[in-house]
DNA sequence: CGCCGGGGTTACAAGTCCGTGACATGGCTT
DNA sequence: AAGCCATGTCACGGACTTGTAACCCCGGCG
């Protein structure tokens, strides 16, 4: 997979109780995050802008400027408005109020929390932001052939075609690289994921099964003699 | 946000009365849309597949293949199933019938309509599709299966079904992502919250228990061999 | 015109995947 | 302490998938 060089996510923790701060910091560092802290609203806002953390853990009760206010301000500033926020609160009852206010936190944790729960929520939220957009289209159409990757669905002229997992993967790889010829070796590597052991004729067999099931739409699958296969658009 | 270069939304208008067609076309072009037309069901289906418009305005009364039928066919073909449809009809009374049929139109307009109303509805529908999907509904219904998340309640044909916490979570994750296949790994990550330690076969067992408890409604839970599970609506 | 090699086609044995029932564990209630 | 229930794991068996080998066809080339 094309995993981009992993960097350590940066987290800003805001809480005015030293004890709570320490617990949070310890657990997050343990889980492999880079942690900065702030113990009041003003410092939080300043650090958020300076550090641009990947996530902010914000206690609801703060002296001076309270958590809700900080949250709103963070959301208002374009520099920080995209940063996910997890609200932390001692009172479960507060949660409802906060949720009711819909002021833009992305998740909530109540004290006391288990370290596991905390880390899970953090990870979830970070993942959601990171995974985001991918480059390859998830749905493709060529004439009457439709390929819908998330639904794992292929249809020809509106009629659904049932493909096995391997056939589906083969078709996707070819369609995504349409125009370019793929050697049997390349296909084995990318569809079968690095099984150097299997015969290259295996590709042929799967191409045949794929063509059979696609019927009319098999015309998109082109054999280049002596080289491999390719997907042609017209 | 990664807004793709804005293009002019393409709208397909289907109506067999030349006058009505002209009025619709004029108003939509005036509002800045690219408009194509069709005057019978067959042409509509063909053009929809060819042009892949962003929205379809469909008159209920058409010669040969009527609007309802066209609507159903558009929905059935994966190529066009995601395109929003606005039904147009001369008789207000027809609306109820159509709504009752729940056949998948997204909005309804009755003749005579004000140009302003028409454009508003079009704009609304286009906006809804452009801005990411609507946030997750808290209560869902599919045929006789009702899932109420806040109340933690599931019923089939009116009869309450007792699910354990895990089963419930599994069901709602699948239902919220209905249509899209979820791999065992994805389910472990999101239902079990990232316990990499547990066996992927555990998912199977829980699916089995879920299906058993759902009885009839288990038909919504689909196995995609070699890939994972998915929730299907029909 | 016949040979040759690459690829289409068919058949089948081995492998894989999933539904199913059984069981161990461990937390919670009584 | 006993019992119950939720949950994770395992083993079995049937159905489907997949890799391979054998055979056939066809086009290119001498």
């Amino acid at each position: 997979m094309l995993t981009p060089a992993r960097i350590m996510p940066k987290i800003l923790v805001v809480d005015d109780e030293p004890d709570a701060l320490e617990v949070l910091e310890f657990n997050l560092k343990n889980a492999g995050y880079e942690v900065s802290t702030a113990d009041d609203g003003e410092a939080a806002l300043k650090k958020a802008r300076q550090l641009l953390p990947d996530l902010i853990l914000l206690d609801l009760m703060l002296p001076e400027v309270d958590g809700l206010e900080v949250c709103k301000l963070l959301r208002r500033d374009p520099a920080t408005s995209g940063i996910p926020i997890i609200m932390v609160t001692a009172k479960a009852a507060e949660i409802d109020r906060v949720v009711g206010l819909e002021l833009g936190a992305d998740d909530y944790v109540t004290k006391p929390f288990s370290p596991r729960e905390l880390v899970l929520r953090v990870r979830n939220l970070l993942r959601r932001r990171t995974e985001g957009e991918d480059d390859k289209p998830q749905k493709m159409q060529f004439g009457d052939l439709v390929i819908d990757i998330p639904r794992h669905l292929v249809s020809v002229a509106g009629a659904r075609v049932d493909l096995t997992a391997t056939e589906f993967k083969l078709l996707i790889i070819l369609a995504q690289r349409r125009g370019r010829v793929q050697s049997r070796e390349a296909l084995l590597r990318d569809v079968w994921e690095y099984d150097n052991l299997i015969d290259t004729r295996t590709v042929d067999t799967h191409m045949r099964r794929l063509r059979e099931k696609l019927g009319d739409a098999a015309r998109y699958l082109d054999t280049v003699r002596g080289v491999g296969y390719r997907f042609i658009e017209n």
Side-chain angles (χ1 to χ4, degrees), chain A residues 21-108:
Chain A
L21 206 55
E22 195 179 326
V23 173
L24 285 163
E25 188 176 355
F26 172 79
N27 283 312
L28 290 171
K29 282 192 171 164
N30 237 17
Y33 298 108
E34 184 181 328
V35 180
S36 307
T37 60
D39 58 9
D40 68 71
E42 290 234 1
L45 289 167
K46 200 172 148 198
K47 284 207 173 181
R49 267 224 286 254
Q50 247 173 34
L51 304 169
L52 293 180
D54 300 289
L55 187 145
I56 297 175
L57 269 168
L58 184 59
D59 191 83
L60 190 58
M61 311 305 247
L62 290 177
E64 316 271 338
V65 198
D66 89 337
L68 292 180
E69 196 58 33
V70 174
C71 189
K72 265 189 279 184
L73 291 171
L74 285 169
R75 282 286 182 257
R76 186 136 29 187
D77 183 345
T80 55
S81 66
I83 303 175
I85 297 175
I86 297 183
M87 275 292 195
V88 183
T89 177
K91 301 172 195 162
E94 289 288 344
I95 290 284
D96 293 331
R97 187 164 74 86
V98 176
V99 174
L101 288 176
E102 291 183 305
L103 49 51
D106 298 271
D107 205 348
Y108 306 87

Side-chain angles (χ1 to χ4, degrees), chain A residues 21-221:
Chain A
L21 206 55
E22 195 179 326
V23 173
L24 285 163
E25 188 176 355
F26 172 79
N27 283 312
L28 290 171
K29 282 192 171 164
N30 237 17
Y33 298 108
E34 184 181 328
V35 180
S36 307
T37 60
D39 58 9
D40 68 71
E42 290 234 1
L45 289 167
K46 200 172 148 198
K47 284 207 173 181
R49 267 224 286 254
Q50 247 173 34
L51 304 169
L52 293 180
D54 300 289
L55 187 145
I56 297 175
L57 269 168
L58 184 59
D59 191 83
L60 190 58
M61 311 305 247
L62 290 177
E64 316 271 338
V65 198
D66 89 337
L68 292 180
E69 196 58 33
V70 174
C71 189
K72 265 189 279 184
L73 291 171
L74 285 169
R75 282 286 182 257
R76 186 136 29 187
D77 183 345
T80 55
S81 66
I83 303 175
I85 297 175
I86 297 183
M87 275 292 195
V88 183
T89 177
K91 301 172 195 162
E94 289 288 344
I95 290 284
D96 293 331
R97 187 164 74 86
V98 176
V99 174
L101 288 176
E102 291 183 305
L103 49 51
D106 298 271
D107 205 348
Y108 306 87
V109 176
T110 55
K111 298 182 196 174
F113 48 80
S114 72
R116 186 163 165 277
E117 184 198 354
L118 174 72
V119 172
L120 281 178
R121 286 179 186 268
V122 167
R123 198 174 320 180
N124 264 329
L125 216 43
L126 286 174
R127 178 164 36 76
R128 215 188 297 161
R129 298 284 157 153
T130 315
E131 275 185 1
E133 14 285 327
D134 20 13
D135 32 4
K136 311 240 159 141
Q138 297 297 292
K139 193 171 176 185
M140 294 177 279
Q141 173 161 27
F142 310 93
D144 53 358
L145 171 66
V146 179
I147 308 173
D148 186 330
I149 300 180
R151 292 172 189 278
H152 205 269
L153 218 141
V154 172
S155 71
V156 177
R160 199 176 135 179
V161 176
D162 277 326
L163 297 183
T164 69
T166 330
E167 287 156 4
F168 190 75
K169 212 163 171 187
L170 178 58
L171 177 61
I172 288 174
I173 295 269
L174 285 167
Q176 282 177 340
R177 305 179 187 174
R178 72 201 83 115
R180 284 174 291 165
V181 181
Q182 303 295 311
S183 70
R184 289 173 176 66
E185 289 72 22
L187 291 172
L188 279 177
R189 182 160 39 74
D190 298 335
V191 177
W192 279 258
E193 278 173 11
Y194 215 68
D195 236 339
N196 235 336
L197 320 168
I198 47 179
D199 188 352
T200 67
R201 287 306 306 276
T202 295
V203 179
D204 296 50
T205 306
H206 280 268
M207 280 302 289
R208 187 192 159 279
R209 295 203 259 249
L210 186 51
R211 293 210 248 234
E212 187 170 47
K213 289 192 184 176
L214 287 184
D216 266 2
R219 65 179 179 281
Y220 295 109
L221 303 175

